[in-house]
Amino acid sequence: MSVIAAFYGGKSILITGATGFMGKVLMEKLLRTSPDLKVIYILVRPKAGQSLQQRVSQMMNCKLFEKAKEICPNIFEKIRPIYSDLTKPDLGISKEDLEELLTHTNIIFHCAATVRFDDPLRHALQLNVIATQQLLFMASQMLKLEVFIHFSTAYSNCNLKHIDEVIYPCSVEPKKLIDSVEWLDDSIIEEITPKLIENRPNTYTYTKALGEMVVYQERGNLNIAIIRPSIVGASWQEPFPGWVDNLNGPNGLIIAAGKGFLHSLKATPKAVADVVPVDLVINLTLAVGWHTAVHRPKSILIYHCTSGSLNPCLWTDLGFQVLATFEKAPLEKAFRRPNADFTTNNFSTYLWNTISHMAPAVMYDFYLRLTGRKPRMAKLMNRMLKTISMLDYFINRSWEWSSRNTEMLMSQLSNEDQKLFDFDVRHLNWLEYTENYCLGIKKYLLKEDMAGIPAAKRHLRIKIIRGRSGD
Ligand SMILES: CCCCCCCCCCCCCCCC(=O)SCCNC(=O)CCNC(=O)[C@H](O)C(C)(C)COP(=O)(O)OP(=O)(O)OC[C@H]1O[C@@H](n2cnc3c(N)ncnc32)[C@H](O)[C@@H]1OP(=O)(O)O
Ligand SMILES: NC(=O)C1=CN([C@@H]2O[C@H](COP(=O)(O)OP(=O)(O)OC[C@H]3O[C@@H](n4cnc5c(N)ncnc54)[C@H](OP(=O)(O)O)[C@@H]3O)[C@@H](O)[C@H]2O)C=CC1
């Protein structure tokens, strides 16, 4: 019997961000491995034209939850959606719902965040810091709370080269900043943002660092642990390989490469692609939840969930494997043959962006105009170049994360739990993982049918022949 799975049995679990990428995988694994858990409360904000229940039904009616539904037939009874907007006072939760949460919750997983790199500081602060502060306050009033798990990112201290499993202070006190943005004008906040974030690349990494500080300062008697994953990618093995459902992280650029938009990318030759599969992160998270609740460490333990030090893969290797996969299983209606190269300096990047990205897009738009259609390629290219500029910082640097706590936890797991909640990244085969990742993007994100591969190959052959004949 799995000790971890048994721990979650009979528990009332609160998840924020359950409708997000990681939240869904967390919920799925909990329901599949501990079908006897009591209830999962999920804080959900309504979306236009959908009730909470409709939103949750739609989410659960996807392939991700198929296995969990077989194991836990009363799955819908286990999920209790609660209306909440984390940017509102008291997280927008009604009095009755709050009462229920305060009385019953045993475990909190705080996943919700804004992960956008270009969010204005005020909004990122609202969600990644103030909402965390409010949730901690709520947690401090819970009668049966055993553990609070906070999701941060391995990049919260990306201004450092070597990062330990400790909370690093930011130069400005979170509370002072929160007070200041209340009365500061948006334009002033925008002006001081570069100074505040120091040498971090965006408001996301900065507010996640502030979020950690808030967790530390407002911990009170709470039993807390922090998970810091690096770049979270498609699932490795559970519930099936390759599951992914958003354009974040590498996903958008993998599509751009597969569709033949992306022809060159600046990447330092030795820079490590510190990607970790989402199911591995969730396995670690559930193990941390169990360990923290049972052992109640004296201080907040931080767990790095990264791949670079134990099983490194370079961006260049990952890129070539992506192209090899799309050669075998092309994406439908590709613009050009997938054929991306890595450049190493700013001049060649500028040159390739002009020759290989913008020029063909402008020419294609000209052709679309001539044939009476609406031009769209230059807009798409500009969007891709903007995304690349936002991700450039992460593709051209490497970091070292220590992983003592993660290794300590691994050694404390029973043999059965080491298999059921495997978070040992050394078991990952990058070639196999990258291939499944690309196929997962094709199937689950782009909803392309695998039966269409021969037609997609024919489409590419025609493109290549036309390209050669200059047609
Ligand atoms: C050879 C291959 C090598 C591969 C090699 C890859 C290396 C890749 C390194 C990654 C390194 C990350 C390392 C961080 C690790 C964390 O911890 S961060 C957690 C993850 N967070 C993220 O990834 C968020 C990053 N994204 C953003 O912040 C924003 O999307 C951006 C990049 C600022 C773009 O903002 P925007 O231009 O306003 O676009 P946005 O509003 O997001 O979307 C507009 C439209 O574009 C679409 N879109 C959004 N993103 C994309 C995209 N990436 N691509 C295409 N379309 C997109 C949307 O669906 C939307 O469509 P419509 O609704 O208009 O039809
Ligand atoms: N993905 C990655 O590569 C990494 C992620 N992380 C961290 O992991 C956690 C989960 O990330 P991920 O799943 O990728 O993020 P997603 O963007 O996929 O999910 C974010 C979740 O937060 C919810 N949310 C956002 N704003 C609000 C709001 N105002 N009120 C209520 N809920 C809100 C979203 O709800 P809705 O569906 O309504 O938008 C969604 O459920 C985050 O803390 C992130 O910082 C750390 C490292 C890497």
Side-chain angles (χ1 to χ4, degrees):
M1 177 67 187
S2 155
V3 179
I4 299 178
F7 165 74
Y8 289 100
K11 295 284 189 325
S12 299
I13 301 161
L14 169 63
I15 303 181
T16 70
T19 51
F21 176 51
M22 306 246 265
K24 275 186 249 183
V25 178
L26 170 62
M27 208 163 43
E28 192 279 336
K29 177 92 184 198
L30 271 169
L31 290 161
R32 186 159 45 83
T33 51
S34 304
D36 57 338
L37 60 81
K38 194 168 170 206
V39 65
I40 302 184
Y41 297 112
I42 58 174
L43 300 190
V44 188
R45 57 178 168 172
K47 279 237 159 122
Q50 268 188 327
S51 69
L52 280 200
Q53 208 57 54
Q54 280 167 332
R55 224 194 136 187
V56 174
S57 303
Q58 193 185 43
M59 172 176 79
M60 308 281 293
N61 279 331
C62 80
K63 188 172 160 63
L64 179 72
F65 288 97
E66 277 176 8
K67 263 192 199 161
K69 279 184 194 156
E70 278 167 28
I71 292 167
C72 179
N74 56 341
I75 199 164
F76 284 99
E77 290 161 29
K78 298 276 179 182
I79 308 285
R80 162 100 160 80
I82 288 185
Y83 172 90
S84 165
D85 184 337
L86 299 179
T87 57
K88 299 265 161 65
D90 300 326
L91 307 177
I93 301 173
S94 75
K95 264 202 177 131
E96 299 73 45
D97 287 339
L98 182 64
E99 200 56 45
E100 184 171 349
L101 291 176
L102 295 185
T103 317
H104 298 291
T105 308
N106 303 116
I107 297 157
I108 296 180
F109 292 104
H110 179 33
C111 299
T114 168
V115 301
R116 288 188 68 93
F117 293 162
D118 61 345
D119 241 353
L121 183 60
R122 186 193 295 283
H123 185 251
L125 202 61
Q126 184 70 50
L127 213 57
N128 296 347
V129 187
I130 301 173
T132 301
Q133 199 180 34
Q134 290 201 54
L135 190 67
L136 286 162
F137 178 66
M138 190 170 119
S140 69
Q141 302 168 67
M142 288 180 172
L143 304 175
K144 296 182 185 162
L145 191 71
E146 295 171 43
V147 60
F148 183 115
I149 303 294
H150 175 74
F151 276 83
S152 187
T153 161
Y155 296 103
S156 54
N157 302 290
C158 58
N159 49 331
L160 305 174
K161 190 96 192 80
H162 177 92
I163 301 160
D164 278 321
E165 292 161 304
V166 297
I167 296 173
Y168 295 92
C170 299
S171 54
V172 177
E173 269 292 303
K175 276 186 199 148
K176 282 191 186 151
L177 190 60
I178 292 167
D179 289 345
S180 316
V181 297
E182 256 178 42
W183 57 269
L184 281 176
D185 204 52
D186 280 346
S187 60
I188 300 176
I189 298 177
E190 202 182 322
E191 219 165 282
I192 60 170
T193 298
K195 287 211 176 73
L196 286 169
I197 66 177
E198 293 170 339
N199 36 8
R200 286 185 182 81
N202 51 46
T203 53
Y204 169 67
T205 49
Y206 177 60
T207 52
K208 291 301 276 190
L210 289 174
E212 290 183 6
M213 268 184 86
V214 158
V215 168
Y216 178 73
Q217 290 171 343
E218 319 254 326
R219 67 195 180 284
N221 293 323
L222 292 171
N223 193 24
I224 305 180
I226 296 178
I227 314 281
R228 282 190 191 149
S230 46
I231 301 167
V232 183
S235 62
W236 165 33
Q237 22 192 31
E238 290 183 78
F240 48 84
W243 185 80
V244 60
D245 78 341
N246 69 26
L247 286 163
N248 285 344
N251 308 349
L253 291 191
I254 291 178
I255 295 173
K259 291 273 185 190
F261 283 113
L262 179 69
H263 261 213
S264 80
L265 186 65
K266 185 170 153 240
T268 310
K270 289 261 152 29
V272 170
D274 211 300
V275 175
V276 277
V278 62
D279 46 339
L280 189 145
V281 181
I282 294 309
N283 285 346
L284 170 70
T285 303
L286 291 173
V288 169
W290 156 74
H291 186 269
T292 314
V294 171
H295 295 276
R296 302 191 68 86
K298 285 196 195 78
S299 57
I300 296 177
L301 292 191
I302 293 162
Y303 295 84
H304 283 158
C305 190
T306 57
S307 56
S309 56
L310 294 172
N311 184 4
C313 172
L314 304 184
W315 281 118
T316 41
D317 293 340
L318 187 128
F320 291 127
Q321 187 54 27
V322 166
L323 296 173
T325 306
F326 287 136
E327 194 77 38
K328 285 191 276 183
L331 296 181
E332 289 171 10
K333 296 185 187 139
F335 176 54
R336 286 178 295 187
R337 180 171 165 249
N339 181 22
D341 222 337
F342 290 95
T343 57
T344 48
N345 66 57
N346 289 337
F347 179 71
S348 53
T349 306
Y350 170 78
L351 202 69
W352 280 114
N353 279 346
T354 313
I355 297 172
S356 197
H357 291 141
M358 282 322 287
V362 170
M363 270 153 61
Y364 194 75
D365 276 352
F366 183 63
Y367 162 72
L368 287 177
R369 262 199 209 96
L370 280 182
T371 50
R373 285 174 286 174
K374 205 173 153 208
R376 59 177 201 281
M377 278 309 155
K379 196 173 159 206
L380 276 173
M381 276 300 175
N382 275 325
R383 189 176 276 173
M384 184 188 80
L385 294 179
K386 177 181 171 190
T387 301
I388 291 175
S389 73
M390 294 272 171
L391 302 183
D392 176 85
Y393 181 92
F394 300 94
I395 312 171
N396 286 285
R397 283 173 179 75
S398 293
W399 289 264
E400 280 166 29
W401 288 277
S402 60
S403 56
R404 278 236 309 268
N405 291 337
T406 309
E407 282 164 35
M408 170 278 292
L409 182 59
M410 216 179 282
S411 69
Q412 301 214 359
L413 259 48
S414 67
N415 286 343
E416 182 164 5
D417 280 336
Q418 286 188 5
K419 286 192 199 113
L420 193 58
F421 296 91
D422 186 3
F423 54 85
D424 190 341
V425 77
R426 285 168 297 197
H427 297 160
L428 186 79
N429 174 326
W430 283 106
L431 284 184
E432 193 182 84
Y433 175 66
T434 313
E435 182 163 320
N436 285 329
Y437 196 155
C438 294
L439 296 178
I441 285 187
K442 182 172 170 65
K443 286 189 277 189
Y444 310 118
L445 186 55
L446 298 176
K447 314 260 186 258
E448 292 186 7
D449 193 341
M450 296 302 272
I453 289 178
K457 282 188 173 168
R458 271 198 303 279
H459 173 83
L460 271 190
R461 268 201 299 273
I462 293 168
K463 288 259 161 193
I464 294 165
I465 293 165
R466 278 192 183 156
R468 279 198 197 123
S469 65
D471 191 0

